[in-house]
Amino acid sequence: MTTLQLTLPWPPKELSPNARQHWGALSRAKKAYRAACAWTAKEQGAKRIEAERLHLTITFVPPNRRAHDLDNCLARMKSGLDGLADVLGVDDKHWQLTPIKSDEVGGFVRVEVRDALRVL
């Protein structure tokens, strides 16, 4: 399997674990971000992968220089990763993740997908 490189939208602030909002608004935000990531991945050529396990390197490129905790970035990305799992056809319980926070500014998330068996 070749490596798949994707650029996904930055997760909205509504998906932050620190956000306090009505459950309905949170549900709509999760659904919208999941769909946005799925469509963006499809537009960039992502499709079903025949693999048992995947390794994803997730590089967060924040929209500004404000402090963004890596663990909060990953939590905000959960719905987006679910959308990516929908497209790739590999359940995210079979993924290995390497989250990275970039020093550059841009407002997007770079995702590199590889077969996990080849990473070891």
Side-chain angles (χ1 to χ4, degrees), residues 56-96:
L56 277 70
T57 302
I58 305 167
T59 305
F60 295 95
V61 183
N64 51 44
R65 297 229 179 261
R66 237 182 290 161
H68 294 274
D69 294 343
L70 187 58
D71 57 339
N72 286 341
C73 289
L74 190 55
R76 286 171 69 163
M77 188 71 194
K78 171 71 171 107
S79 300
L81 293 177
D82 288 342
L84 186 55
D86 294 340
V87 172
L88 298 178
V90 179
D91 192 319
D92 58 358
K93 72 181 176 185
H94 300 292
W95 291 4
Q96 298 170 353

Side-chain angles (χ1 to χ4, degrees), residues 3-120:
T3 301
L4 179 62
Q5 304 272 349
L6 302 168
T7 301
L8 301 177
W10 183 257
K13 65 182 180 200
E14 292 83 12
L15 298 182
S16 171
N18 299 324
R20 301 292 176 252
Q21 61 186 327
H22 188 272
W23 64 266
L26 177 60
S27 178
R28 283 188 295 277
K30 286 179 179 180
K31 187 175 182 179
Y33 188 60
R34 183 176 185 154
C37 286
W39 280 110
T40 302
K42 283 181 184 179
E43 288 174 346
Q44 294 176 43
K47 58 187 175 207
R48 286 186 110 30
I49 293 177
E50 294 301 322
E52 291 186 29
R53 302 185 71 72
L54 295 177
H55 181 269
L56 277 70
T57 302
I58 305 167
T59 305
F60 295 95
V61 183
N64 51 44
R65 297 229 179 261
R66 237 182 290 161
H68 294 274
D69 294 343
L70 187 58
D71 57 339
N72 286 341
C73 289
L74 190 55
R76 286 171 69 163
M77 188 71 194
K78 171 71 171 107
S79 300
L81 293 177
D82 288 342
L84 186 55
D86 294 340
V87 172
L88 298 178
V90 179
D91 192 319
D92 58 358
K93 72 181 176 185
H94 300 292
W95 291 4
Q96 298 170 353
L97 303 177
T98 302
I100 300 168
K101 191 173 136 257
S102 175
D103 291 332
E104 62 183 301
V105 174
F108 57 89
V109 181
R110 249 188 242 117
V111 180
E112 180 181 304
V113 181
R114 290 178 284 158
D115 190 328
L117 299 177
R118 297 185 185 185
V119 173
L120 304 173

